[in-house]
């Protein structure tokens, strides 16, 4: 018989799946010993920085660089005219559009890169920038996507004149980028026409920004002796960047090395390619010296990848009992001056067609119009899978509005429309196959945990007290049940610039029974070095503490599409498990040889192969590892290595149930989160402590977005929120306490059943906070008020409802 | 975010500092905590050839309470204001207000002198000093002169201080009665959406003295004499407080910014003024 306590002890010693293992990364981060891009200092390194446009739309008449060239330390001022002979004055975007690297005749948004000043240090570069004189001629500015589509709107993209076909089909207007349609228009319109009840509303998810702690930057070094270009940069997808650099520069791919060192948060901001990368590389090629470019905070907020800016017009139809029969949605998507969205190529609006959410909606239709405006380009997935947070916010607001229309409790309306556990795998009306879920169980658990009925009673009493003049505070109960779609994705329909969205892991077991695993992803704080070692520990029976995880160097790591869209665990995590299984398969053959039995006579026991029925005869993985390097085993190659490229058969669909309880002062518009309960179901849980940390961080970003964070423009296209004074990033003081909880519904198609969690709290958190604000005013007639819910906008709701007497 | 080239001076006494100012005129500026000046320089909105750092001048760092008068050296930090037991005893309003400025890191560097001298309408101390009826001490080539806090502010960043003068100290009489500083802000580190300092003295159920001043509700701090008149002589009943709030609100002139439009600010100002007066009365 197996010795169970011994087996449990050995399992614990591995620190594998399900262990709250401390993050191995934190030793260096908490001691200030991380190695970020700006920590890289190379001999002779130069510094480059941009002259940026103060105008949102202007013709560039002339650029005078003579005075700048006289500034001590300034070596070069690069303009579009210098890049043009190299074909690098424009670059392709991930969305099939192209973008100016440096202003080519005009500028399209405030902060756009106009010239690149290269100097001996960043102080000289700053002086040089001030000395560059640019002559501009103002052009009419359009910051409203609806106005941009009017017939007489100014032409923003003169380079596209006469082009009626874009990367995603026909363009019907000079500022129109694409129209993307999903679902059945005719059937949906019919369902809406015949419905008992239809709720219609415009839901705006405002423009915001991922604002990682570390902004974007790079160091480019062209080694003229061996012809190799190395770029250290803040890249969420280093391998894809290498391929893109090769394609646009003509440098052979083996002569390009991309390294992502420690990255201080990405949240989608560091997926795309920016002019700074191109200009630094060109400057290094020209000067033969390493060139660094690092954004400051204002550059980051004003110019590199924003998120959201979706105007979502919705109609939701239901029977009078509350069964939803159809959903119609039209999105006007503001993409800014260039279409630089970071989405899989065939999905110009990302996975927004997950907008039927957690609900069994039989009929649906979605259309999205992408529009150019005089704002910064971007449209990245800010801590969410592509446009999933927009979709979740849309459906979770529409459900609340339908509940108002029906006079129903919003929790009950959700319950009667959830996809049932037995319906999985579930085919949604907009084309997805949900892998697994048990929404009713999660929902009931969440409502019980917060005493939902008790909260509603308290709220009703509060409304009465308010009406009697006994209090000036209202109570909001914000509900959300979200379903995410993450883990892009199956190569059959997911690619970026033609690169399939698989991912990879390569494992080498060392003779003494430790290992290194390299992956195609790159951690930006997620803790990959901790969690991927845990996956492997459970698969190959070596302690997680004996496994090094390395990512981010394209010369050593296997090819992969990087880390964003919660894809690391679903895709690279699966590759890790599959590579581990290859290791174990070979280990089994080695063990069989050593124990002189047939492979089939062995069974796996935590960290060893034992002879079936004779557990005293075994070989541990440590012993097997050594044997792989010192035994001549007939029919087997020496060594113990494996590589797996994993093409996921489907996306994964994490979900969760969140409840936010909020106090609102109607006189000042101030809000206070009294309670926040977050139940997440991310399938198999690899490291509960890291999951909790991810949920706390994502909820805090969601709080920021819902309650104050925005990139706002005035009518002239000036950014009004370009510093952290006005762009809300919560401190510990503004951050409430969170209660986390979970259910576990494994993904049936993932090797270990894991679904990914990093982005769930942002996706589910935003509607939970926003619904709490709306819910507080429901009794007084509020239907919809756009985010962010900062003090004055909340005050405006109260004022509009006549609550100020 | 990199300032233009400048020369850095670090004099050891006021005379030396004045000499540098005298030599360079409006090319030179003194720096205390630097929280206003350094960002302006980094944004290249202020271009200075000479920066005169006052941090080595020891005599500017004292807090003294003597003979019913409080004297704060210009280089006393917000943190010092909070940490001083003597000051907390003599003028708890100052501590209450200082605790609502920014965050601990900022308060370790930010000084009371820099806060009042600069004329930034967002700063809290100017309104507070108007409420306290403080006196600012300015030292220039001709010696020292004093200006009442209520006369010091002319417009945003425009004050009674001459380019060749240094604000060295603030004095005010130890206040009596109840006090409160009420401030609404969007987040830690932000300037006030609206803020109000209130002092109320009650004797035998009657208000005998009051002072009401407001922050970031005009291009200068606002001390409201009308609000004082509405309170003095009353029992500070609801009607009297309501009249004081309306009087104070009539004296403000807020402008729209990212915190919100004018109607919102006027409303929130009313709430802050009311809360400040009510709390001061409750402590009187």
């Amino acid at each position: 018989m197996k010795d169970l306590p011994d087996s449990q002890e050995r399992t614990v010693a591995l620190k594998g799946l399900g262990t709250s293992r401390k993050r191995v990364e934190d030793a260096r981060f908490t001691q200030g010993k991380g190695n970020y891009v700006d920590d890289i200092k190379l001999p002779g390194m130069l510094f480059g920085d941009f002259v940026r446009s103060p105008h949102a739309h202007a013709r560039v008449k002339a650029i005078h660089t003579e005075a700048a060239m006289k500034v001590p330390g300034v070596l070069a001022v690069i303009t579009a005219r210098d890049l043009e002979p190299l074909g690098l004055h424009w670059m392709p975007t991930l969305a099939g559009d192209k973008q100016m690297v440096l202003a080519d005749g005009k500028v399209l948004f405030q902060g756009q890169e106009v010239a690149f000043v290269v100097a001996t240090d960043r102080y000289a570069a700053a002086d040089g920038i001030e000395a560059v004189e640019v002559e501009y001629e103002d052009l009419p500015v359009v910051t409203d996507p609806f106005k941009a589509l009017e017939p007489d709107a100014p032409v923003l993209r003169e380079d596209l004149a006469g082009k009626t076909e874009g990367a995603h089909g026909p363009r019907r207007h000079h500022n129109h980028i694409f129209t993307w349609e999903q679902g059945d228009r005719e059937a949906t319109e019919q369902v809406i026409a015949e419905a008992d009840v239809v709720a219609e509303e415009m839901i705006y998810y405002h423009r915001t920004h991922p604002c990682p702690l570390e902004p974007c930057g790079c160091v480019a070094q062209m080694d003229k002796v061996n012809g190799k270009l190395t770029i250290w940069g803040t890249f969420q997808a280093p391998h894809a960047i290498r391929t893109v650099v090769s394609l646009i520069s003509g440098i052979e791919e083996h002569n390009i090395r991309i390294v992502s060192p420690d990255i201080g948060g990405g949240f989608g901001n560091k997926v795309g390619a920016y002019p700074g990368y191109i200009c630094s590389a060109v400057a290094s090629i020209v000067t033969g010296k390493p060139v660094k470019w690092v954004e400051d905070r204002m550059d980051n907020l004003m110019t590199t990848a924003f998120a959201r800016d979706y105007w979502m017009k919705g109609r939701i139809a239901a029977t009078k009992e509350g069964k939803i029969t159809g959903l119609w949605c039209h999105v006007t998507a503001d993409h800014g001056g260039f279409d630089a969205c970071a989405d899989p190529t065939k999905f110009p609006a990302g996975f927004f067609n997950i907008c039927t959410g957690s609900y069994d909606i039989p009929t649906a239709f979605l259309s999205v119009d992408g529009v150019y405006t005089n704002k910064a380009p971007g449209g990245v997935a800010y801590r969410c899978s592509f446009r999933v947070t927009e979709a979740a916010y849309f459906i979770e607001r529409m459900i609340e509005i339908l509940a108002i229309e029906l006079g129903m409790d919003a929790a009950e309306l959700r319950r009667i429309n959830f996809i049932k556990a037995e319906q999985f795998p579930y085919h949604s009306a907009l084309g997805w196959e949900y892998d697994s879920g048990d929404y009713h169980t999660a929902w009931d658990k969440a409502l019980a945990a917060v005493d939902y009925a008790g909260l509603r009673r308290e709220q009703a009493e509060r409304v009465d007290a308010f009406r009697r003049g006994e209090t000036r505070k209202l109570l909001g109960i914000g509900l959300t049940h979200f379903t995410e779609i993450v883990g892009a994705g199956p190569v059959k329909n997911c690619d970026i610039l033609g690169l399939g969205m698989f991912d990879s892991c390569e494992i080498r077991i060392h003779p003494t029974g430790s290992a290194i695993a390299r992956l195609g992803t790159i951690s930006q704080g997620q803790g990959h070095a901790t969690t991927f070692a845990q996956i492997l520990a459970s698969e190959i029976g070596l302690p997680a503490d004996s496994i090094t995880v390395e990512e981010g160097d394209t010369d050593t790591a296997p090819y992969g599409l990087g880390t964003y869209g919660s894809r690391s665990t679903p895709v690279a995590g699966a590759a890790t498990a599959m590579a581990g299984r290859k290791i174990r398969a070979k280990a089994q053959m080695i063990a069989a040889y050593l124990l002189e039995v047939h492979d089939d006579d062995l069974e796996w026991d935590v960290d060893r192969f034992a002879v079936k029925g004779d557990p005293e005869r075994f070989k541990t993985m440590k012993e097997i590892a050594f044997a792989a390097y010192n035994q001549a085993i007939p029919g087997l190659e020496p060594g113990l290595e494996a590589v797996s490229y994993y093409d996921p058969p489907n996306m994964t669909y994490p979900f969760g149930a969140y409840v936010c309880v909020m106090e609102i002062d109607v006189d000042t518009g101030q809000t206070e989160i009294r309670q926040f309960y977050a139940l997440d179901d991310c399938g198999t849980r690899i490291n509960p402590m890291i999951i909790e940390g991810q949920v706390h961080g994502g909820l805090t970003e969601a709080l920021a977005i819902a309650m104050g964070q925005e990139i706002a423009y005035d009518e002239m296209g000036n950014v009004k929120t370009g510093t952290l004074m006005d762009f809300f990033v919560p401190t510990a003081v503004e951050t409430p306490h969170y209660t986390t909880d979970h259910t576990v519904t494994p993904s049936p198609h993932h090797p270990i059943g894991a679904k990914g969690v990093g982005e769930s709290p942002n996706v589910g958190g935003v509607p939970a906070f926003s619904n709490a604000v709306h819910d507080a005013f429901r009794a007084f007639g509020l239907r919809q008020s756009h985010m962010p819910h900062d003090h004055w906008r909340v005050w405006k709701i109260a004022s509009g409802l006549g609550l100020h007497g | 975010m990199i300032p233009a080239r400048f020369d850095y001076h670090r004099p050891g006494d006021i005379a030396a500092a004045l000499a540098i100012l005298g030599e360079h005129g409006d090319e030179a500026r003194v720096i205390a905590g630097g929280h206003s000046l350094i960002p302006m320089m980094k944004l290249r909105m202020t271009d200075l050839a000479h920066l005169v750092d006052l941090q080595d001048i020891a005599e500017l760092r004292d807090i003294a309470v003597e003979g019913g008068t409080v004297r704060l050296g210009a280089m006393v930090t917000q943190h010092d204001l909070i940490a001083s037991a003597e000051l907390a005893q003599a003028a708890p309003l100052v501590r209450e207000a200082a605790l609502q400025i920014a965050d601990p890191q900022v308060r370790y560097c930010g000084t009371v002198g820099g806060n009042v001298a600069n004329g930034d309408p967002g700063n809290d101390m100017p309104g507070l000093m108007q409420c306290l009826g403080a006196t600012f001490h300015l030292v220039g080539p001709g010696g020292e002169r004093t200006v009442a806090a209520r006369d010091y502010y002319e417009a945003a960043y425009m004050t009674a201080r001459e380019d060749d003068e240094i604000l060295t100290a603030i004095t005010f009489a130890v206040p009596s009665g109840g006090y409160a500083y009420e401030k609404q802000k969007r987040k830690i580190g932000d300037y006030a959406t609206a803020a109000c300092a209130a002092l109320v003295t009650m004797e035998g159920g009657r208000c005998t003295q009051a002072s009401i001043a407001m922050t970031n509700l005009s291009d200068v701090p606002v001390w409201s004499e009308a609000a004082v008149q509405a309170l003095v002589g009353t029992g500070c009943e609801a009607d009297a407080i309501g009249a004081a709030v309306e009087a104070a609100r009539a004296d403000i002139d807020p402008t729209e910014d990212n915190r919100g439009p004018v109607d919102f600010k006027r409303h929130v100002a009313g709430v802050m003024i009311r809360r400040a007066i009510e709390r001061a009365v409750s402590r009187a």
Side-chain angles (χ1 to χ4, degrees):
Chain A
M1 287 297 290
K2 245 188 229 172
D3 184 357
L4 274 180
D6 168 59
S7 151
Q8 277 176 358
E9 222 166 81
R10 286 185 282 119
T11 302
V12 169
L14 292 179
K15 299 187 188 171
L17 291 182
T19 307
S20 285
R21 180 184 184 221
K22 283 192 179 165
R23 286 166 36 113
V24 298
E25 297 90 341
D26 289 347
R28 67 179 188 278
F29 294 147
T30 55
Q31 294 178 72
K33 298 282 170 61
N35 183 40
Y36 299 92
V37 166
D38 207 20
D39 293 320
I40 294 170
K41 293 179 177 67
L42 302 175
M45 190 172 74
L46 306 177
F47 194 89
D49 205 353
F50 288 106
V51 175
R52 295 181 180 276
S53 170
H55 305 279
H57 195 198
R59 210 164 292 293
V60 177
K61 309 282 283 183
I63 303 174
H64 302 290
T65 63
E66 305 78 12
M69 288 301 293
K70 288 181 188 149
V71 171
V74 172
L75 303 175
V77 181
I78 299 171
T79 68
R81 294 290 74 78
D82 303 308
L83 296 178
E84 195 171 0
L86 307 168
L88 291 176
H89 56 318
W90 289 71
M91 64 179 182
T93 71
L94 297 179
D97 194 3
K98 57 180 186 162
Q99 175 178 352
M100 288 179 215
V101 172
L102 290 170
D104 184 20
K106 71 186 295 194
V107 288
L108 288 162
F109 63 94
Q110 189 183 50
Q112 187 177 331
E113 300 82 358
V114 174
F116 191 66
V117 175
V118 184
T120 48
D121 59 56
R122 64 181 77 194
Y123 296 89
D127 289 343
I129 287 166
E130 210 186 11
V132 174
E133 261 180 68
V134 185
E135 290 177 36
Y136 296 98
E137 178 189 309
D138 280 332
L139 294 169
V141 171
V142 187
T143 57
D144 177 333
F146 298 98
K147 287 184 182 159
L149 288 180
E150 286 172 1
D152 57 350
V155 178
L156 304 190
R157 292 289 297 276
E158 287 160 348
D159 61 295
L160 298 178
K163 289 198 175 161
T164 54
E165 195 73 20
H168 308 289
R171 299 172 66 229
R172 63 162 200 273
H173 179 280
H174 51 263
N175 294 328
H176 177 247
I177 309 171
F178 64 83
T179 297
W180 190 60
E181 296 188 343
Q182 297 286 301
D184 189 333
R185 179 200 293 265
E186 212 171 293
T188 306
E189 284 173 356
Q190 193 178 340
V191 163
I192 287 170
E194 295 168 357
D196 294 348
V197 178
V198 177
E200 178 173 325
E201 197 58 67
M202 173 68 90
I203 312 288
Y204 179 48
Y205 196 143
H206 59 291
R207 178 176 279 234
T208 182
H209 193 282
C211 193
L213 208 57
E214 175 204 32
C216 300
C218 71
V219 178
Q221 182 183 37
M222 183 70 198
D223 184 331
K224 291 204 168 179
V225 176
N226 62 22
K228 187 151 183 166
L229 174 66
T230 303
I231 307 177
W232 293 263
T234 49
F235 306 126
Q236 287 183 243
H239 300 274
I241 290 279
R242 185 184 70 190
T243 302
V244 169
V245 169
S246 177
L247 290 174
I248 66 177
S249 69
I251 301 171
E252 280 196 272
E253 205 164 349
H254 74 282
N255 272 333
I256 301 168
R257 179 182 170 217
I258 303 293
V259 184
S260 295
D262 283 331
I263 297 180
F267 313 112
N269 184 236
K270 295 167 180 171
V271 173
Y274 295 118
Y277 305 156
I278 307 281
C279 291
S280 303
V282 169
S284 181
I285 290 167
V286 170
T287 61
K289 292 187 172 177
V291 177
K292 180 187 280 186
W293 162 74
V294 176
E295 291 178 320
D296 68 23
R297 181 60 59 195
M298 291 175 73
D299 297 339
N300 181 254
L301 287 174
M302 289 174 66
T303 69
T304 43
F306 78 93
R308 327 304 191 218
D309 217 347
Y310 257 34
W311 292 91
M312 305 174 285
K313 181 79 178 280
R315 292 191 193 110
I316 189 164
T319 65
K320 50 186 184 303
E321 294 78 26
K323 183 76 191 79
I324 299 169
T325 52
L327 179 71
W328 178 96
C329 179
H330 176 264
V331 179
T332 301
D334 186 338
H335 285 220
F338 306 98
D339 187 10
C341 290
D343 293 316
T345 302
K346 296 184 188 74
F347 296 86
F351 303 153
F352 187 85
N353 52 333
I354 193 71
C355 67
T356 52
S358 306
Y359 311 104
D360 183 12
I361 301 180
T363 312
F365 175 70
L366 161 70
S367 62
V368 182
D369 281 315
V371 184
Y372 291 122
T373 61
N374 288 122
K375 297 178 181 174
V380 295
Y382 170 7
R383 203 173 186 143
C384 72
S385 194
F386 316 98
R387 302 292 188 187
V388 174
T389 185
E390 289 93 326
Y393 185 66
F394 169 73
I395 187 65
E396 290 301 298
R397 284 297 313 135
M398 289 307 293
I399 287 281
E400 294 278 319
I401 291 160
L402 178 62
I404 293 170
E405 202 76 45
L406 289 161
M408 275 182 76
D409 176 78
E412 183 57 20
L413 178 61
R414 284 180 174 85
R415 185 184 278 112
I416 63 180
N417 285 289
F418 281 144
I419 301 162
K420 297 181 184 70
E422 60 270 23
Q423 287 178 277
F424 292 92
Y426 172 82
H427 293 265
S428 78
L430 292 177
W432 296 113
E433 184 190 308
Y434 292 31
D435 61 347
S436 65
D438 184 352
Y439 300 163
H440 287 94
T441 299
W443 195 238
D444 290 343
K445 187 175 181 182
L447 297 188
V450 299
D451 182 18
Y452 179 68
L455 284 173
R456 285 291 178 207
R457 275 195 302 277
E458 183 188 347
Q459 184 185 44
E461 286 162 14
R462 183 72 70 85
V463 168
D464 289 344
F466 183 88
R467 288 194 163 126
R468 290 193 302 266
E470 294 163 13
T471 179
R472 296 298 291 164
K473 282 191 175 177
L474 294 174
L475 187 69
I477 304 164
L479 302 174
T480 290
H481 191 289
F482 65 92
T483 295
E484 260 209 294
I485 171 170
V486 307
V491 173
K492 64 177 187 285
N493 59 358
C494 290
D495 70 275
I496 288 184
L497 297 177
L499 302 167
M501 295 181 74
F502 58 84
D503 226 290
S504 59
C505 176
E506 178 198 282
I507 304 169
R508 295 181 191 175
I509 309 293
H510 306 316
T512 52
S514 65
I516 182 164
R518 294 191 171 99
L519 292 90
T521 43
I522 175 67
S523 182
Q524 304 122 40
Q526 291 89 340
H528 290 177
T530 307
T531 51
F532 287 135
Q534 290 182 253
I535 294 175
L536 260 188
S538 290
E539 291 290 342
I540 65 174
L542 293 174
D545 290 346
S546 301
I547 301 168
T548 295
V549 173
E550 199 180 273
E551 304 171 297
D553 184 338
T554 59
D555 266 9
T556 56
Y559 204 97
L561 266 281
T563 295
Y564 43 85
S566 270
R567 64 184 302 280
S568 297
T569 292
V571 191
T576 304
M578 298 308 272
R581 286 171 196 183
K582 289 182 185 177
I583 295 280
R584 207 161 90 184
K586 185 171 178 183
Q588 185 165 3
M589 291 191 269
I590 297 170
Y593 171 80
L594 296 173
L595 292 162
E596 299 179 329
V597 296
H598 190 273
D599 297 358
D600 293 343
D601 293 331
L602 295 174
E603 61 184 355
W604 177 249
D605 176 24
V606 183
D607 59 351
R608 64 193 56 183
F609 280 104
V611 177
K612 285 178 186 168
D614 189 2
E616 296 306 310
R617 286 180 66 207
F618 61 83
K619 288 290 171 190
T620 64
M621 273 303 286
K622 209 169 153 69
E623 293 169 315
I624 295 166
F626 198 73
Y629 291 89
N630 84 339
Q631 298 270 339
I633 302 172
L636 279 185
E637 291 178 3
L640 194 51
E641 300 187 1
V643 58
S644 172
Y645 280 75
Y646 187 80
D647 177 10
N650 190 6
M651 311 283 187
T652 63
Y653 296 76
F655 61 94
Y658 291 176
V659 183
C660 172
V661 183
M662 188 183 288
E663 296 273 357
I664 296 178
D665 182 332
V666 299
D667 291 322
T668 63
Q670 287 174 304
T671 52
E672 188 191 339
I673 315 300
R674 188 174 91 183
Q675 182 182 5
F676 199 105
Y677 171 89
L679 180 151
D680 275 283
D681 191 322
C682 58
T684 303
R685 290 156 59 83
I686 299 167
N687 183 320
M689 181 196 72
I690 285 185
I691 291 171
E692 194 179 9
Q694 288 271 30
V695 172
H696 282 212
L699 287 176
T700 304
E701 282 179 330
L703 169 84
I705 295 167
M707 307 310 290
Q709 186 176 85
E710 65 173 326
I711 297 291
Y713 290 83
D714 68 14
E715 286 188 351
M716 299 298 294
N718 298 306
V719 180
K720 292 162 67 183
T721 53
T723 76
L724 296 185
M725 176 63 83
D726 290 309
F727 185 84
F728 176 43
V729 177
T731 70
V733 174
E734 291 86 18
T735 304
H737 177 77
Y738 304 115
T739 304
T740 57
D741 203 348
H742 63 276
T743 55
V744 178
T745 312
S747 168
H749 62 79
H750 187 279
I752 62 167
K755 289 186 169 185
V757 74
E759 302 174 332
S760 296
N762 196 321
V763 171
V766 173
F769 289 112
S770 180
N771 282 347
V773 174
H774 285 91
D775 181 70
F777 294 102
R778 178 174 168 176
F780 302 91
L782 178 67
R783 267 172 75 99
Q784 174 63 21
S785 181
H786 299 319
M787 294 189 291
H789 305 298
D790 56 7
H791 298 167
W792 90 259
R793 287 182 176 96
V794 172
W795 176 88
K796 201 170 93 180
I797 294 171
S799 183
L801 296 172
L803 304 184
H804 292 146
Chain B
M1 294 297 283
I2 289 175
R5 184 171 290 276
F6 59 89
D7 285 341
Y8 177 77
H9 305 266
R10 195 156 162 168
D13 55 46
I14 292 169
L18 287 172
I20 299 165
L21 290 185
E23 186 182 343
H24 300 291
D26 62 4
E27 289 277 283
R29 279 282 294 278
V30 299
I31 182 167
H35 286 303
S36 299
L37 189 55
I38 290 175
M40 299 287 270
M41 291 170 68
K42 285 187 169 181
L43 291 167
R44 297 194 178 217
M45 291 165 82
T46 296
D47 197 3
L48 289 171
H50 299 273
L51 203 56
V52 185
D53 190 337
L54 301 182
Q55 68 174 301
D56 276 357
I57 305 178
E59 64 196 274
L60 297 180
R61 293 197 170 274
D62 289 341
I63 298 175
V65 182
E66 277 171 21
T69 298
V70 175
R71 181 183 173 90
L72 304 174
M75 293 297 285
V76 167
T77 66
Q78 311 295 346
H79 172 76
D80 297 334
L81 295 179
I82 293 164
S84 166
E86 201 179 14
L87 188 64
Q89 179 76 28
L93 175 62
V94 176
R95 185 170 193 273
E96 181 165 301
L99 277 168
Q100 296 181 59
I101 294 175
D103 55 63
Q105 281 181 309
V106 168
R107 296 196 295 252
Y108 286 130
C109 290
T111 64
V112 65
N115 197 289
V116 299
N118 192 33
D120 184 337
N123 287 348
D124 293 276
M125 288 288 158
L128 184 78
M129 293 305 162
Q130 295 210 344
C131 182
L132 288 163
T135 300
F136 297 162
H137 298 251
L138 302 169
V139 177
E144 180 175 310
R145 68 180 176 115
T146 58
V147 179
R150 290 173 195 164
D151 297 331
Y152 182 76
Y153 300 97
E154 294 163 358
Y157 305 103
M158 303 280 285
T159 68
R161 189 185 62 82
E162 300 295 335
D163 283 344
D164 57 2
E165 289 181 314
I166 298 172
L167 189 149
T168 55
I170 299 160
T171 54
F172 54 88
V174 170
S176 61
Y179 63 91
Y181 193 69
E182 285 284 343
K183 178 179 180 180
Q184 179 162 339
K185 55 188 175 182
R186 294 173 297 179
K187 59 178 177 182
I188 287 296
D190 194 18
Y191 293 116
T193 301
C196 179
L199 284 167
V200 177
T201 305
M202 304 285 285
E203 281 171 29
R206 293 275 133 197
C207 173
T208 55
Q209 272 187 67
S211 185
I212 309 294
M214 291 151 285
T215 291
N216 218 14
L217 290 165
S218 181
D219 67 340
V220 290
V222 177
W223 179 72
S224 178
E225 193 170 3
V228 173
Q229 284 170 0
L231 288 175
V232 171
T234 75
C236 291
E237 306 85 352
D239 283 357
I241 291 176
V245 169
E246 283 319 303
R249 261 160 50 98
D251 285 341
I252 62 175
D253 183 21
T255 50
E256 176 166 348
D257 60 20
N258 285 330
R259 292 171 191 85
V262 171
D263 57 346
F264 165 68
K265 289 190 169 183
R266 295 193 71 85
H267 187 104
V268 170
V271 176
M272 293 301 114
I273 297 162
R274 174 179 297 280
R275 288 180 184 175
I277 295 173
E278 285 175 350
R279 210 149 53 81
V281 169
S282 76
R283 285 164 160 175

